[in-house]
Amino acid sequence: MAASMLVQRTAALCGTFKGISVSKAVRPVNSHYGFMLQTACYNPRPLRLDLRGPYIPDKDSIKTPEWQKTARYDRKLFGRYGSASHIDPASLWPSHGELEKIIAEEKQWHPPLEVMLKNIEAKEKEKTEKRLAKEKLIAANMAKMPKMIEDWRREKRETKRKLKEEKAQKAKLLAEARERFGYSMDPRSPKFLEMVAEIEKEEKKKKKLLKRRVKEEQVAAPPVAQS
């Protein structure tokens, strides 16, 4: 009831203000009723669209977006409106180049079942070969493990022996330097290093003489008679 009365009053007000010039703005006191008045008196311009038939874009018009001029959009229109789209179905088929590209993509991403089974078999075979090769390598290394452990222990013993000999040789050289010079010396001092070089030179000379003597004795020895 209240709504019908409001509509009647609004219509009456619209009829009253028809004679008023457009340049004079109507400023109602109450903003709510002013909004209702403007809404009731609004007369929109009619849309120039033909909504009774399908929308077919004009490809020759510059106002038509480029994506509506593509073959993909033509396929969409034909699929929606059929023959009403005025599109030749023969033009919707892909060209030879596009068809070859589609076939290549299908072969790559959607191969036949036989090809998929062969690929799976090849992958399984490769995986098995890698596993067997790894197991073979592990077995070979495990077979070498005792010898490797023995070699490591022998090297460790040899290193320990060399360190012990070097330590004993150093102690011997320090004792000889103390006996020769009458006081303890720093093993890094030039005097001590000079003494060590001299001793090493004498030892090399002794080894060389001993080697020559052994060789001379072997030459002078009578040959062993063979029976």
Side-chain angles (χ1 to χ4, degrees):
M1 183 69 180
S4 61
M5 291 178 64
L6 180 59
V7 171
Q8 292 176 2
R9 291 181 181 179
T10 306
L13 286 172
C14 288
T16 303
F17 286 106
K18 278 183 179 180
I20 302 177
S21 176
V22 181
S23 61
K24 297 181 180 180
V26 179
R27 296 181 181 179
V29 178
N30 194 329
S31 61
H32 177 70
Y33 290 109
F35 175 75
M36 293 293 293
L37 178 61
Q38 292 177 2
T39 305
C41 297
Y42 176 67
N43 186 18
R45 296 176 61 186
L47 296 175
R48 299 182 182 275
L49 294 176
D50 186 10
L51 302 179
R52 292 173 297 179
Y55 169 70
I56 308 300
D58 185 8
K59 294 185 177 182
D60 297 331
S61 176
I62 59 174
K63 295 182 179 180
T64 304
E66 292 297 329
W67 60 273
Q68 292 184 359
K69 301 178 181 179
T70 59
R72 184 177 181 182
Y73 191 75
D74 289 345
R75 296 187 185 100
K76 184 177 180 181
L77 287 177
F78 186 82
R80 180 178 295 177
Y81 302 116
S83 60
S85 62
H86 304 290
I87 297 174
D88 184 12
S91 65
L92 303 179
W93 288 96
S95 62
H96 292 288
E98 292 176 348
L99 188 60
E100 291 179 358
K101 184 177 180 181
I102 292 171
I103 294 174
E105 289 180 353
E106 288 182 353
K107 287 183 179 179
Q108 181 179 3
W109 299 107
H110 305 285
L113 181 60
E114 295 179 358
V115 177
M116 294 177 65
L117 291 175
K118 287 182 179 179
N119 293 337
I120 293 173
E121 185 179 358
K123 288 182 180 179
E124 291 293 333
K125 184 178 180 181
E126 183 180 0
K127 186 177 180 181
T128 303
E129 289 177 355
K130 288 183 178 180
R131 180 178 58 81
L132 293 176
K134 187 175 181 180
E135 291 178 356
K136 186 177 180 180
L137 179 62
I138 292 173
N141 291 335
M142 291 300 295
K144 296 177 182 178
M145 187 64 67
K147 185 176 182 303
M148 293 172 65
I149 294 175
E150 183 61 28
D151 293 342
W152 174 76
R153 288 177 177 174
R154 185 175 63 256
E155 290 178 359
K156 190 175 181 180
R157 290 193 299 268
E158 188 68 19
T159 302
K160 189 174 181 180
R161 183 185 63 79
K162 287 181 178 180
L163 290 174
K164 187 175 181 180
E165 289 180 356
E166 289 177 359
K167 188 176 180 180
Q169 181 68 14
K170 186 176 181 180
K172 182 180 178 182
L173 292 172
L174 288 173
E176 187 174 349
R178 189 184 307 111
E179 183 179 355
R180 181 179 295 186
F181 299 105
Y183 57 89
S184 299
M185 297 184 65
D186 187 358
R188 296 169 296 178
S189 63
K191 200 170 185 180
F192 179 79
L193 296 176
E194 184 179 353
M195 185 199 73
V196 171
E198 184 180 350
I199 292 174
E200 290 179 353
K201 187 177 180 181
E202 291 178 359
E203 288 181 354
K204 287 181 180 180
K205 189 176 181 181
K206 289 179 181 179
K207 289 180 180 179
K208 191 174 181 180
L209 292 174
L210 180 61
K211 187 177 180 180
R212 183 183 297 175
R213 184 179 300 173
V214 171
K215 189 175 181 180
E216 290 176 355
E217 289 178 355
Q218 291 177 353
V219 173
V224 180
Q226 296 181 359
S227 57

